[in-house]
Amino acid sequence: MPRAEAVELTRRVLKHFENDSLDTVGEVWNEPREAFVGRDRFDADLRMLHGVPHVVGWAGEVATPGSYTTKDVMGVPVLLVRGRDDRLRAFVNGCAHRGAQVATDCGTTRMFTCPYHGWAYALDGRLTGAPARKMFTGEIEGRGLTPLPVSERGGLIVVGLAPGVEVDGVLGEVEEPLSEYDFATRHHAETRRFEIATNWKLAVDVNFEGYHFPYVHADTLDPIATNNSVCDVYGRHNRWAFPFREIVGFRDQPETDWPEHFFGTVVYGLFPSCVLVEAPASYQMLRVYPGRNPGESIVYLTYGSPTPVITDQEREWYRMSMDAVCNVLCNQDFPMAEACQRGLEAGVPEVLFGRNEPMLHHLATVWQQAVESA
């Protein structure tokens, strides 16, 4: 984040400290329970999510020729690889023979080899070898990995799950502030997968309001952070920033002495379901997808690092940092989302988003509009 933007966010939150306030909206939002428990809405969500592009990683994860990473996106196995020509490509991570995955996790390679029957592929997806090739006559000529649309803008990787999905320009106005981060050199430290007993939208929502801090995070976030938060909308995307309590000390300092970066946490919501969390020395990406039913979701939490994680000491540091993040999410936020899902399934008629939860209004709006236009 450029210093000018950090200063502007600081000005805004300090004003809220003075007034004991936060950014709000004018009305209360009523979201019917069917949005979270109804099968028709769930099926409509799935159609929408399969037809829109998804942010799936930092460009730094595949920064050099031969580097690759694998992602699961809405159940689609995706392979991302940087070719020898420095071009980023995306493929369905499935062998052209029987569909088995040709790569796992992340790393560097000169080629991909299917573990089932040994079919081999170049970094550009071309089939370069198949044992007993003469047994297939001409059927395998020209076959290769199935390509997917991909782009890298603002240091982020965007993938489409079908050939016709447009991936260029989807970040829109939010690309500019995102470009100021180090995403193009951000490395992968660790990823963990969670199955949550709640609708995918509720799993996203927990990341975009601080109303719950004193109650859910009394021993974690609340002692160090406040809900004197500010928010911004960039088309379908958004940004929510909440300060650390000690930011109030900057009120008596000249702006030239304020820190280079915002003294708090900045959370970006990248449509439809990617959450970027930027805090001092902590970089997280959450990708949230529906499970098999309305009350199930799958969350991938990735921790990033500014440099490659090489030593055991570095791996242990990131493991401990990830444990701390998971304590907040898995032991505090996600159980509350699951509790909300149980209440809605039991008959609670609707969800209320207060005037003090503006980002939840925005998320509900863009999701509904996308469903209607799918």
Side-chain angles (χ1 to χ4, degrees), residues 45-57 73-74 80 149-151 156-161 165-167 170-171 200 270-274 287-290:
D45 283 350
L46 291 180
R47 289 192 296 272
M48 179 270 290
L49 290 166
H50 277 287
V52 298
H54 294 261
V55 174
V56 298
V73 187
M74 293 287 297
L80 299 158
V150 64
S151 72
L156 295 172
I157 301 171
V158 182
V159 169
L161 302 181
V165 176
E166 178 57 55
V167 295
V170 297
L171 293 178
W200 69 277
L270 304 180
F271 179 86
S273 59
C274 179
R287 297 183 292 115
V288 183
Y289 308 118

PDB file of all heavy atoms in Angstrom, residues 45-57 73-74 80 149-151 156-161 165-167 170-171 200 270-274 287-290:
ATOM      1  N   ASP A  45     -26.423 -20.228  -7.117  1.00  0.00           N
ATOM      2  CA  ASP A  45     -25.074 -19.816  -6.713  1.00  0.00           C
ATOM      3  C   ASP A  45     -24.017 -20.629  -7.455  1.00  0.00           C
ATOM      4  O   ASP A  45     -23.015 -20.088  -7.935  1.00  0.00           O
ATOM      5  CB  ASP A  45     -24.889 -20.007  -5.210  1.00  0.00           C
ATOM      6  CG  ASP A  45     -25.557 -18.937  -4.372  1.00  0.00           C
ATOM      7  OD1 ASP A  45     -26.022 -17.930  -4.942  1.00  0.00           O
ATOM      8  OD2 ASP A  45     -25.607 -19.095  -3.136  1.00  0.00           O
ATOM      9  N   LEU A  46     -24.234 -21.945  -7.554  1.00  0.00           N
ATOM     10  CA  LEU A  46     -23.262 -22.802  -8.230  1.00  0.00           C
ATOM     11  C   LEU A  46     -23.108 -22.418  -9.698  1.00  0.00           C
ATOM     12  O   LEU A  46     -21.989 -22.351 -10.216  1.00  0.00           O
ATOM     13  CB  LEU A  46     -23.687 -24.272  -8.114  1.00  0.00           C
ATOM     14  CG  LEU A  46     -23.617 -24.906  -6.724  1.00  0.00           C
ATOM     15  CD1 LEU A  46     -24.083 -26.361  -6.793  1.00  0.00           C
ATOM     16  CD2 LEU A  46     -22.209 -24.838  -6.158  1.00  0.00           C
ATOM     17  N   ARG A  47     -24.241 -22.176 -10.368  1.00  0.00           N
ATOM     18  CA  ARG A  47     -24.163 -21.771 -11.777  1.00  0.00           C
ATOM     19  C   ARG A  47     -23.389 -20.477 -11.921  1.00  0.00           C
ATOM     20  O   ARG A  47     -22.552 -20.325 -12.831  1.00  0.00           O
ATOM     21  CB  ARG A  47     -25.574 -21.628 -12.362  1.00  0.00           C
ATOM     22  CG  ARG A  47     -26.307 -22.954 -12.566  1.00  0.00           C
ATOM     23  CD  ARG A  47     -27.562 -22.754 -13.399  1.00  0.00           C
ATOM     24  NE  ARG A  47     -28.545 -21.909 -12.737  1.00  0.00           N
ATOM     25  CZ  ARG A  47     -29.482 -22.362 -11.897  1.00  0.00           C
ATOM     26  NH1 ARG A  47     -29.542 -23.663 -11.628  1.00  0.00           N
ATOM     27  NH2 ARG A  47     -30.345 -21.536 -11.348  1.00  0.00           N
ATOM     28  N   MET A  48     -23.675 -19.535 -11.042  1.00  0.00           N
ATOM     29  CA  MET A  48     -22.976 -18.258 -11.095  1.00  0.00           C
ATOM     30  C   MET A  48     -21.486 -18.438 -10.850  1.00  0.00           C
ATOM     31  O   MET A  48     -20.641 -17.916 -11.597  1.00  0.00           O
ATOM     32  CB  MET A  48     -23.574 -17.295 -10.062  1.00  0.00           C
ATOM     33  CG  MET A  48     -22.921 -15.936 -10.002  1.00  0.00           C
ATOM     34  SD  MET A  48     -21.506 -15.806  -8.833  1.00  0.00           S
ATOM     35  CE  MET A  48     -22.343 -15.904  -7.259  1.00  0.00           C
ATOM     36  N   LEU A  49     -21.124 -19.186  -9.822  1.00  0.00           N
ATOM     37  CA  LEU A  49     -19.730 -19.333  -9.437  1.00  0.00           C
ATOM     38  C   LEU A  49     -18.911 -20.076 -10.490  1.00  0.00           C
ATOM     39  O   LEU A  49     -17.713 -19.810 -10.662  1.00  0.00           O
ATOM     40  CB  LEU A  49     -19.630 -20.051  -8.090  1.00  0.00           C
ATOM     41  CG  LEU A  49     -20.115 -19.235  -6.881  1.00  0.00           C
ATOM     42  CD1 LEU A  49     -20.294 -20.141  -5.672  1.00  0.00           C
ATOM     43  CD2 LEU A  49     -19.129 -18.118  -6.560  1.00  0.00           C
ATOM     44  N   HIS A  50     -19.534 -20.994 -11.214  1.00  0.00           N
ATOM     45  CA  HIS A  50     -18.819 -21.699 -12.274  1.00  0.00           C
ATOM     46  C   HIS A  50     -18.610 -20.814 -13.505  1.00  0.00           C
ATOM     47  O   HIS A  50     -17.740 -21.110 -14.330  1.00  0.00           O
ATOM     48  CB  HIS A  50     -19.571 -22.971 -12.664  1.00  0.00           C
ATOM     49  CG  HIS A  50     -19.277 -24.143 -11.771  1.00  0.00           C
ATOM     50  ND1 HIS A  50     -18.092 -24.825 -11.809  1.00  0.00           N
ATOM     51  CD2 HIS A  50     -20.017 -24.728 -10.797  1.00  0.00           C
ATOM     52  CE1 HIS A  50     -18.098 -25.800 -10.913  1.00  0.00           C
ATOM     53  NE2 HIS A  50     -19.255 -25.755 -10.279  1.00  0.00           N
ATOM     54  N   GLY A  51     -19.376 -19.727 -13.612  1.00  0.00           N
ATOM     55  CA  GLY A  51     -19.306 -18.894 -14.803  1.00  0.00           C
ATOM     56  C   GLY A  51     -18.535 -17.606 -14.655  1.00  0.00           C
ATOM     57  O   GLY A  51     -18.452 -16.821 -15.601  1.00  0.00           O
ATOM     58  N   VAL A  52     -17.960 -17.362 -13.465  1.00  0.00           N
ATOM     59  CA  VAL A  52     -17.219 -16.117 -13.237  1.00  0.00           C
ATOM     60  C   VAL A  52     -15.756 -16.440 -12.953  1.00  0.00           C
ATOM     61  O   VAL A  52     -15.423 -17.550 -12.528  1.00  0.00           O
ATOM     62  CB  VAL A  52     -17.819 -15.316 -12.056  1.00  0.00           C
ATOM     63  CG1 VAL A  52     -19.259 -14.921 -12.351  1.00  0.00           C
ATOM     64  CG2 VAL A  52     -17.725 -16.109 -10.750  1.00  0.00           C
ATOM     65  N   PRO A  53     -14.858 -15.476 -13.184  1.00  0.00           N
ATOM     66  CA  PRO A  53     -13.440 -15.712 -12.885  1.00  0.00           C
ATOM     67  C   PRO A  53     -13.171 -15.680 -11.384  1.00  0.00           C
ATOM     68  O   PRO A  53     -13.885 -15.010 -10.619  1.00  0.00           O
ATOM     69  CB  PRO A  53     -12.726 -14.572 -13.601  1.00  0.00           C
ATOM     70  CG  PRO A  53     -13.755 -13.506 -13.722  1.00  0.00           C
ATOM     71  CD  PRO A  53     -15.089 -14.187 -13.840  1.00  0.00           C
ATOM     72  N   HIS A  54     -12.125 -16.389 -10.962  1.00  0.00           N
ATOM     73  CA  HIS A  54     -11.765 -16.485  -9.556  1.00  0.00           C
ATOM     74  C   HIS A  54     -10.307 -16.100  -9.347  1.00  0.00           C
ATOM     75  O   HIS A  54      -9.425 -16.552 -10.092  1.00  0.00           O
ATOM     76  CB  HIS A  54     -11.960 -17.920  -9.047  1.00  0.00           C
ATOM     77  CG  HIS A  54     -13.384 -18.374  -9.021  1.00  0.00           C
ATOM     78  ND1 HIS A  54     -14.155 -18.359  -7.875  1.00  0.00           N
ATOM     79  CD2 HIS A  54     -14.183 -18.857 -10.011  1.00  0.00           C
ATOM     80  CE1 HIS A  54     -15.362 -18.815  -8.157  1.00  0.00           C
ATOM     81  NE2 HIS A  54     -15.412 -19.119  -9.443  1.00  0.00           N
ATOM     82  N   VAL A  55     -10.054 -15.279  -8.334  1.00  0.00           N
ATOM     83  CA  VAL A  55      -8.678 -15.039  -7.888  1.00  0.00           C
ATOM     84  C   VAL A  55      -8.248 -16.262  -7.085  1.00  0.00           C
ATOM     85  O   VAL A  55      -8.916 -16.649  -6.121  1.00  0.00           O
ATOM     86  CB  VAL A  55      -8.580 -13.773  -7.031  1.00  0.00           C
ATOM     87  CG1 VAL A  55      -7.177 -13.628  -6.445  1.00  0.00           C
ATOM     88  CG2 VAL A  55      -8.945 -12.537  -7.842  1.00  0.00           C
ATOM     89  N   VAL A  56      -7.116 -16.866  -7.474  1.00  0.00           N
ATOM     90  CA  VAL A  56      -6.718 -18.129  -6.842  1.00  0.00           C
ATOM     91  C   VAL A  56      -5.323 -18.105  -6.244  1.00  0.00           C
ATOM     92  O   VAL A  56      -4.926 -19.067  -5.566  1.00  0.00           O
ATOM     93  CB  VAL A  56      -6.813 -19.303  -7.844  1.00  0.00           C
ATOM     94  CG1 VAL A  56      -8.244 -19.481  -8.317  1.00  0.00           C
ATOM     95  CG2 VAL A  56      -5.867 -19.113  -9.019  1.00  0.00           C
ATOM     96  N   GLY A  57      -4.546 -17.046  -6.476  1.00  0.00           N
ATOM     97  CA  GLY A  57      -3.201 -17.051  -5.924  1.00  0.00           C
ATOM     98  C   GLY A  57      -2.457 -15.770  -6.195  1.00  0.00           C
ATOM     99  O   GLY A  57      -2.947 -14.861  -6.891  1.00  0.00           O
ATOM    100  N   VAL A  73     -10.520 -25.354  -7.287  1.00  0.00           N
ATOM    101  CA  VAL A  73     -11.411 -24.208  -7.429  1.00  0.00           C
ATOM    102  C   VAL A  73     -12.807 -24.731  -7.760  1.00  0.00           C
ATOM    103  O   VAL A  73     -13.040 -25.226  -8.858  1.00  0.00           O
ATOM    104  CB  VAL A  73     -10.932 -23.245  -8.531  1.00  0.00           C
ATOM    105  CG1 VAL A  73     -11.784 -21.981  -8.538  1.00  0.00           C
ATOM    106  CG2 VAL A  73      -9.458 -22.902  -8.361  1.00  0.00           C
ATOM    107  N   MET A  74     -13.711 -24.657  -6.816  1.00  0.00           N
ATOM    108  CA  MET A  74     -15.068 -25.152  -7.041  1.00  0.00           C
ATOM    109  C   MET A  74     -15.063 -26.632  -7.454  1.00  0.00           C
ATOM    110  O   MET A  74     -15.862 -27.075  -8.268  1.00  0.00           O
ATOM    111  CB  MET A  74     -15.773 -24.320  -8.114  1.00  0.00           C
ATOM    112  CG  MET A  74     -16.070 -22.894  -7.727  1.00  0.00           C
ATOM    113  SD  MET A  74     -17.418 -22.791  -6.530  1.00  0.00           S
ATOM    114  CE  MET A  74     -18.765 -23.464  -7.491  1.00  0.00           C
ATOM    115  N   LEU A  80      -1.392 -24.402 -12.491  1.00  0.00           N
ATOM    116  CA  LEU A  80      -0.835 -23.128 -12.945  1.00  0.00           C
ATOM    117  C   LEU A  80       0.662 -23.299 -13.104  1.00  0.00           C
ATOM    118  O   LEU A  80       1.341 -23.796 -12.187  1.00  0.00           O
ATOM    119  CB  LEU A  80      -1.126 -22.021 -11.937  1.00  0.00           C
ATOM    120  CG  LEU A  80      -2.608 -21.722 -11.686  1.00  0.00           C
ATOM    121  CD1 LEU A  80      -2.788 -21.040 -10.343  1.00  0.00           C
ATOM    122  CD2 LEU A  80      -3.169 -20.868 -12.806  1.00  0.00           C
ATOM    123  N   PRO A 149      -8.755 -20.318 -19.144  1.00  0.00           N
ATOM    124  CA  PRO A 149      -8.415 -18.894 -19.196  1.00  0.00           C
ATOM    125  C   PRO A 149      -7.664 -18.474 -17.934  1.00  0.00           C
ATOM    126  O   PRO A 149      -8.018 -18.883 -16.826  1.00  0.00           O
ATOM    127  CB  PRO A 149      -9.782 -18.199 -19.280  1.00  0.00           C
ATOM    128  CG  PRO A 149     -10.742 -19.259 -19.700  1.00  0.00           C
ATOM    129  CD  PRO A 149     -10.217 -20.545 -19.165  1.00  0.00           C
ATOM    130  N   VAL A 150      -6.640 -17.648 -18.086  1.00  0.00           N
ATOM    131  CA  VAL A 150      -5.866 -17.189 -16.935  1.00  0.00           C
ATOM    132  C   VAL A 150      -5.302 -15.809 -17.231  1.00  0.00           C
ATOM    133  O   VAL A 150      -5.010 -15.474 -18.384  1.00  0.00           O
ATOM    134  CB  VAL A 150      -4.725 -18.176 -16.600  1.00  0.00           C
ATOM    135  CG1 VAL A 150      -3.702 -18.243 -17.734  1.00  0.00           C
ATOM    136  CG2 VAL A 150      -4.060 -17.824 -15.280  1.00  0.00           C
ATOM    137  N   SER A 151      -5.185 -15.005 -16.203  1.00  0.00           N
ATOM    138  CA  SER A 151      -4.521 -13.707 -16.326  1.00  0.00           C
ATOM    139  C   SER A 151      -3.822 -13.401 -15.010  1.00  0.00           C
ATOM    140  O   SER A 151      -4.146 -13.986 -13.970  1.00  0.00           O
ATOM    141  CB  SER A 151      -5.517 -12.587 -16.667  1.00  0.00           C
ATOM    142  OG  SER A 151      -6.318 -12.282 -15.543  1.00  0.00           O
ATOM    143  N   LEU A 156      -1.950 -10.653  -8.973  1.00  0.00           N
ATOM    144  CA  LEU A 156      -2.821 -11.761  -8.593  1.00  0.00           C
ATOM    145  C   LEU A 156      -3.141 -12.628  -9.801  1.00  0.00           C
ATOM    146  O   LEU A 156      -3.198 -12.140 -10.940  1.00  0.00           O
ATOM    147  CB  LEU A 156      -4.121 -11.242  -7.982  1.00  0.00           C
ATOM    148  CG  LEU A 156      -3.970 -10.484  -6.659  1.00  0.00           C
ATOM    149  CD1 LEU A 156      -5.299  -9.845  -6.265  1.00  0.00           C
ATOM    150  CD2 LEU A 156      -3.484 -11.413  -5.551  1.00  0.00           C
ATOM    151  N   ILE A 157      -3.367 -13.902  -9.566  1.00  0.00           N
ATOM    152  CA  ILE A 157      -3.708 -14.850 -10.618  1.00  0.00           C
ATOM    153  C   ILE A 157      -5.219 -15.036 -10.640  1.00  0.00           C
ATOM    154  O   ILE A 157      -5.837 -15.330  -9.613  1.00  0.00           O
ATOM    155  CB  ILE A 157      -3.027 -16.207 -10.378  1.00  0.00           C
ATOM    156  CG1 ILE A 157      -1.512 -16.034 -10.336  1.00  0.00           C
ATOM    157  CG2 ILE A 157      -3.421 -17.198 -11.458  1.00  0.00           C
ATOM    158  CD1 ILE A 157      -0.772 -17.290  -9.886  1.00  0.00           C
ATOM    159  N   VAL A 158      -5.799 -14.852 -11.827  1.00  0.00           N
ATOM    160  CA  VAL A 158      -7.245 -14.998 -12.020  1.00  0.00           C
ATOM    161  C   VAL A 158      -7.473 -16.124 -13.027  1.00  0.00           C
ATOM    162  O   VAL A 158      -6.857 -16.152 -14.089  1.00  0.00           O
ATOM    163  CB  VAL A 158      -7.869 -13.692 -12.537  1.00  0.00           C
ATOM    164  CG1 VAL A 158      -9.381 -13.851 -12.694  1.00  0.00           C
ATOM    165  CG2 VAL A 158      -7.552 -12.530 -11.594  1.00  0.00           C
ATOM    166  N   VAL A 159      -8.374 -17.043 -12.681  1.00  0.00           N
ATOM    167  CA  VAL A 159      -8.632 -18.215 -13.512  1.00  0.00           C
ATOM    168  C   VAL A 159     -10.118 -18.316 -13.818  1.00  0.00           C
ATOM    169  O   VAL A 159     -10.971 -18.015 -12.967  1.00  0.00           O
ATOM    170  CB  VAL A 159      -8.154 -19.500 -12.796  1.00  0.00           C
ATOM    171  CG1 VAL A 159      -8.661 -20.744 -13.505  1.00  0.00           C
ATOM    172  CG2 VAL A 159      -6.644 -19.533 -12.721  1.00  0.00           C
ATOM    173  N   GLY A 160     -10.426 -18.743 -15.042  1.00  0.00           N
ATOM    174  CA  GLY A 160     -11.788 -19.100 -15.418  1.00  0.00           C
ATOM    175  C   GLY A 160     -11.908 -20.613 -15.474  1.00  0.00           C
ATOM    176  O   GLY A 160     -10.967 -21.304 -15.876  1.00  0.00           O
ATOM    177  N   LEU A 161     -13.071 -21.141 -15.106  1.00  0.00           N
ATOM    178  CA  LEU A 161     -13.250 -22.591 -15.030  1.00  0.00           C
ATOM    179  C   LEU A 161     -13.789 -23.196 -16.314  1.00  0.00           C
ATOM    180  O   LEU A 161     -14.012 -24.402 -16.383  1.00  0.00           O
ATOM    181  CB  LEU A 161     -14.179 -22.933 -13.857  1.00  0.00           C
ATOM    182  CG  LEU A 161     -13.710 -22.444 -12.483  1.00  0.00           C
ATOM    183  CD1 LEU A 161     -14.693 -22.865 -11.406  1.00  0.00           C
ATOM    184  CD2 LEU A 161     -12.310 -22.952 -12.164  1.00  0.00           C
ATOM    185  N   VAL A 165     -14.880 -18.093 -20.233  1.00  0.00           N
ATOM    186  CA  VAL A 165     -14.908 -17.140 -19.121  1.00  0.00           C
ATOM    187  C   VAL A 165     -13.873 -16.038 -19.359  1.00  0.00           C
ATOM    188  O   VAL A 165     -12.696 -16.315 -19.568  1.00  0.00           O
ATOM    189  CB  VAL A 165     -14.646 -17.846 -17.783  1.00  0.00           C
ATOM    190  CG1 VAL A 165     -14.592 -16.828 -16.647  1.00  0.00           C
ATOM    191  CG2 VAL A 165     -15.729 -18.883 -17.507  1.00  0.00           C
ATOM    192  N   GLU A 166     -14.306 -14.796 -19.314  1.00  0.00           N
ATOM    193  CA  GLU A 166     -13.426 -13.651 -19.534  1.00  0.00           C
ATOM    194  C   GLU A 166     -12.672 -13.328 -18.236  1.00  0.00           C
ATOM    195  O   GLU A 166     -13.287 -13.067 -17.200  1.00  0.00           O
ATOM    196  CB  GLU A 166     -14.236 -12.441 -19.971  1.00  0.00           C
ATOM    197  CG  GLU A 166     -13.428 -11.176 -20.196  1.00  0.00           C
ATOM    198  CD  GLU A 166     -12.327 -11.380 -21.226  1.00  0.00           C
ATOM    199  OE1 GLU A 166     -12.644 -11.818 -22.353  1.00  0.00           O
ATOM    200  OE2 GLU A 166     -11.155 -11.116 -20.893  1.00  0.00           O
ATOM    201  N   VAL A 167     -11.356 -13.342 -18.292  1.00  0.00           N
ATOM    202  CA  VAL A 167     -10.563 -13.115 -17.087  1.00  0.00           C
ATOM    203  C   VAL A 167      -9.805 -11.792 -17.108  1.00  0.00           C
ATOM    204  O   VAL A 167      -9.295 -11.349 -16.079  1.00  0.00           O
ATOM    205  CB  VAL A 167      -9.554 -14.271 -16.866  1.00  0.00           C
ATOM    206  CG1 VAL A 167     -10.281 -15.573 -16.602  1.00  0.00           C
ATOM    207  CG2 VAL A 167      -8.609 -14.409 -18.059  1.00  0.00           C
ATOM    208  N   VAL A 170     -10.958  -8.092 -14.875  1.00  0.00           N
ATOM    209  CA  VAL A 170     -12.019  -8.350 -13.902  1.00  0.00           C
ATOM    210  C   VAL A 170     -11.773  -7.635 -12.575  1.00  0.00           C
ATOM    211  O   VAL A 170     -12.710  -7.400 -11.814  1.00  0.00           O
ATOM    212  CB  VAL A 170     -12.201  -9.864 -13.660  1.00  0.00           C
ATOM    213  CG1 VAL A 170     -12.628 -10.554 -14.929  1.00  0.00           C
ATOM    214  CG2 VAL A 170     -10.925 -10.491 -13.109  1.00  0.00           C
ATOM    215  N   LEU A 171     -10.534  -7.259 -12.289  1.00  0.00           N
ATOM    216  CA  LEU A 171     -10.269  -6.560 -11.036  1.00  0.00           C
ATOM    217  C   LEU A 171     -10.746  -5.109 -11.084  1.00  0.00           C
ATOM    218  O   LEU A 171     -11.051  -4.517 -10.047  1.00  0.00           O
ATOM    219  CB  LEU A 171      -8.779  -6.609 -10.708  1.00  0.00           C
ATOM    220  CG  LEU A 171      -8.211  -7.991 -10.383  1.00  0.00           C
ATOM    221  CD1 LEU A 171      -6.718  -7.895 -10.121  1.00  0.00           C
ATOM    222  CD2 LEU A 171      -8.927  -8.614  -9.184  1.00  0.00           C
ATOM    223  N   TRP A 200     -21.619 -20.989   2.113  1.00  0.00           N
ATOM    224  CA  TRP A 200     -20.376 -20.323   1.711  1.00  0.00           C
ATOM    225  C   TRP A 200     -20.413 -18.818   1.923  1.00  0.00           C
ATOM    226  O   TRP A 200     -19.393 -18.201   2.263  1.00  0.00           O
ATOM    227  CB  TRP A 200     -20.046 -20.658   0.257  1.00  0.00           C
ATOM    228  CG  TRP A 200     -20.976 -20.061  -0.760  1.00  0.00           C
ATOM    229  CD1 TRP A 200     -22.191 -20.558  -1.149  1.00  0.00           C
ATOM    230  CD2 TRP A 200     -20.779 -18.857  -1.511  1.00  0.00           C
ATOM    231  NE1 TRP A 200     -22.761 -19.739  -2.096  1.00  0.00           N
ATOM    232  CE2 TRP A 200     -21.911 -18.682  -2.344  1.00  0.00           C
ATOM    233  CE3 TRP A 200     -19.747 -17.926  -1.575  1.00  0.00           C
ATOM    234  CZ2 TRP A 200     -22.053 -17.609  -3.213  1.00  0.00           C
ATOM    235  CZ3 TRP A 200     -19.880 -16.844  -2.432  1.00  0.00           C
ATOM    236  CH2 TRP A 200     -21.027 -16.697  -3.246  1.00  0.00           C
ATOM    237  N   LEU A 270     -12.507  -9.925  -2.975  1.00  0.00           N
ATOM    238  CA  LEU A 270     -12.391  -9.995  -4.427  1.00  0.00           C
ATOM    239  C   LEU A 270     -13.455 -10.944  -4.948  1.00  0.00           C
ATOM    240  O   LEU A 270     -13.416 -12.156  -4.673  1.00  0.00           O
ATOM    241  CB  LEU A 270     -10.985 -10.453  -4.829  1.00  0.00           C
ATOM    242  CG  LEU A 270      -9.854  -9.582  -4.267  1.00  0.00           C
ATOM    243  CD1 LEU A 270      -8.507 -10.104  -4.721  1.00  0.00           C
ATOM    244  CD2 LEU A 270     -10.038  -8.122  -4.674  1.00  0.00           C
ATOM    245  N   PHE A 271     -14.422 -10.394  -5.652  1.00  0.00           N
ATOM    246  CA  PHE A 271     -15.567 -11.145  -6.142  1.00  0.00           C
ATOM    247  C   PHE A 271     -15.103 -12.377  -6.919  1.00  0.00           C
ATOM    248  O   PHE A 271     -14.150 -12.310  -7.706  1.00  0.00           O
ATOM    249  CB  PHE A 271     -16.418 -10.243  -7.047  1.00  0.00           C
ATOM    250  CG  PHE A 271     -17.617 -10.923  -7.623  1.00  0.00           C
ATOM    251  CD1 PHE A 271     -18.795 -10.968  -6.915  1.00  0.00           C
ATOM    252  CD2 PHE A 271     -17.559 -11.534  -8.868  1.00  0.00           C
ATOM    253  CE1 PHE A 271     -19.905 -11.592  -7.439  1.00  0.00           C
ATOM    254  CE2 PHE A 271     -18.660 -12.174  -9.399  1.00  0.00           C
ATOM    255  CZ  PHE A 271     -19.843 -12.207  -8.678  1.00  0.00           C
ATOM    256  N   PRO A 272     -15.744 -13.561  -6.709  1.00  0.00           N
ATOM    257  CA  PRO A 272     -16.911 -13.732  -5.861  1.00  0.00           C
ATOM    258  C   PRO A 272     -16.621 -14.142  -4.422  1.00  0.00           C
ATOM    259  O   PRO A 272     -17.431 -13.881  -3.548  1.00  0.00           O
ATOM    260  CB  PRO A 272     -17.660 -14.859  -6.572  1.00  0.00           C
ATOM    261  CG  PRO A 272     -16.565 -15.706  -7.150  1.00  0.00           C
ATOM    262  CD  PRO A 272     -15.498 -14.739  -7.583  1.00  0.00           C
ATOM    263  N   SER A 273     -15.450 -14.774  -4.137  1.00  0.00           N
ATOM    264  CA  SER A 273     -15.303 -15.361  -2.805  1.00  0.00           C
ATOM    265  C   SER A 273     -13.858 -15.490  -2.357  1.00  0.00           C
ATOM    266  O   SER A 273     -13.524 -16.402  -1.605  1.00  0.00           O
ATOM    267  CB  SER A 273     -15.966 -16.745  -2.772  1.00  0.00           C
ATOM    268  OG  SER A 273     -15.391 -17.622  -3.734  1.00  0.00           O
ATOM    269  N   CYS A 274     -13.010 -14.578  -2.813  1.00  0.00           N
ATOM    270  CA  CYS A 274     -11.623 -14.553  -2.362  1.00  0.00           C
ATOM    271  C   CYS A 274     -11.457 -13.416  -1.356  1.00  0.00           C
ATOM    272  O   CYS A 274     -11.953 -12.307  -1.586  1.00  0.00           O
ATOM    273  CB  CYS A 274     -10.665 -14.373  -3.532  1.00  0.00           C
ATOM    274  SG  CYS A 274      -8.914 -14.291  -3.064  1.00  0.00           S
ATOM    275  N   ARG A 287      -9.887 -18.650   0.164  1.00  0.00           N
ATOM    276  CA  ARG A 287     -10.754 -18.935  -0.974  1.00  0.00           C
ATOM    277  C   ARG A 287     -11.900 -19.797  -0.463  1.00  0.00           C
ATOM    278  O   ARG A 287     -11.677 -20.874   0.081  1.00  0.00           O
ATOM    279  CB  ARG A 287      -9.977 -19.648  -2.084  1.00  0.00           C
ATOM    280  CG  ARG A 287      -8.852 -18.806  -2.651  1.00  0.00           C
ATOM    281  CD  ARG A 287      -8.132 -19.486  -3.804  1.00  0.00           C
ATOM    282  NE  ARG A 287      -7.376 -20.658  -3.387  1.00  0.00           N
ATOM    283  CZ  ARG A 287      -7.636 -21.906  -3.760  1.00  0.00           C
ATOM    284  NH1 ARG A 287      -8.667 -22.167  -4.562  1.00  0.00           N
ATOM    285  NH2 ARG A 287      -6.893 -22.911  -3.332  1.00  0.00           N
ATOM    286  N   VAL A 288     -13.110 -19.293  -0.619  1.00  0.00           N
ATOM    287  CA  VAL A 288     -14.289 -19.927  -0.040  1.00  0.00           C
ATOM    288  C   VAL A 288     -15.202 -20.419  -1.155  1.00  0.00           C
ATOM    289  O   VAL A 288     -15.551 -19.656  -2.064  1.00  0.00           O
ATOM    290  CB  VAL A 288     -15.058 -18.937   0.866  1.00  0.00           C
ATOM    291  CG1 VAL A 288     -16.240 -19.629   1.531  1.00  0.00           C
ATOM    292  CG2 VAL A 288     -14.119 -18.331   1.918  1.00  0.00           C
ATOM    293  N   TYR A 289     -15.603 -21.694  -1.086  1.00  0.00           N
ATOM    294  CA  TYR A 289     -16.455 -22.295  -2.109  1.00  0.00           C
ATOM    295  C   TYR A 289     -17.577 -23.100  -1.453  1.00  0.00           C
ATOM    296  O   TYR A 289     -17.432 -23.591  -0.328  1.00  0.00           O
ATOM    297  CB  TYR A 289     -15.642 -23.225  -3.017  1.00  0.00           C
ATOM    298  CG  TYR A 289     -14.409 -22.594  -3.603  1.00  0.00           C
ATOM    299  CD1 TYR A 289     -13.143 -23.097  -3.327  1.00  0.00           C
ATOM    300  CD2 TYR A 289     -14.510 -21.474  -4.428  1.00  0.00           C
ATOM    301  CE1 TYR A 289     -12.003 -22.518  -3.870  1.00  0.00           C
ATOM    302  CE2 TYR A 289     -13.376 -20.881  -4.969  1.00  0.00           C
ATOM    303  CZ  TYR A 289     -12.127 -21.407  -4.685  1.00  0.00           C
ATOM    304  OH  TYR A 289     -10.999 -20.817  -5.222  1.00  0.00           O
ATOM    305  N   PRO A 290     -18.689 -23.261  -2.167  1.00  0.00           N
ATOM    306  CA  PRO A 290     -19.752 -24.116  -1.633  1.00  0.00           C
ATOM    307  C   PRO A 290     -19.304 -25.570  -1.550  1.00  0.00           C
ATOM    308  O   PRO A 290     -18.468 -26.032  -2.328  1.00  0.00           O
ATOM    309  CB  PRO A 290     -20.884 -23.960  -2.661  1.00  0.00           C
ATOM    310  CG  PRO A 290     -20.552 -22.740  -3.441  1.00  0.00           C
ATOM    311  CD  PRO A 290     -19.055 -22.643  -3.442  1.00  0.00           C
TER     312      PRO A 290
END
